[in-house]
Amino acid sequence: MKKLIGYIKESYNELVYKVSWPTRTELSNSAVVVMFASLIIAALIFVVDLGFENVMKFIYEKIF
């Protein structure tokens, strides 16, 4: 039980005194970057899917 309590105390001290937490501005900027990157990747996947759909329609129209 002493080991568990010691581990919890050490973890708490590390989180409070040793970890550098981002500021609110840094966090907001990071969130915006992630949002735009997600939108760009989603758009690229949409374009690839649309192209694949058109290729498959072309192939199936020629075969059947």
Side-chain angles (χ1 to χ4, degrees), residues 29-49:
N29 290 340
S30 296
V32 170
V33 168
V34 168
M35 183 181 66
F36 280 122
S38 298
L39 289 173
I40 290 170
I41 291 170
L44 288 173
I45 291 173
F46 175 75
V47 168
V48 169
D49 184 53

Side-chain angles (χ1 to χ4, degrees), residues 2-3 6 11-12 19-23 28 35 37 39 45-49 54 58-59:
K2 282 186 175 183
K3 286 184 179 182
S11 297
Y12 175 78
V19 174
S20 62
W21 296 99
T23 64
S28 298
M35 183 181 66
L39 289 173
I45 291 173
F46 175 75
V47 168
V48 169
D49 184 53
N54 288 332
F58 177 75
I59 291 172

Side-chain angles (χ1 to χ4, degrees), residues 7-17:
Y7 175 76
I8 292 172
K9 285 181 181 180
E10 287 177 25
S11 297
Y12 175 78
N13 285 335
E14 186 171 341
L15 283 173
V16 172
Y17 300 113

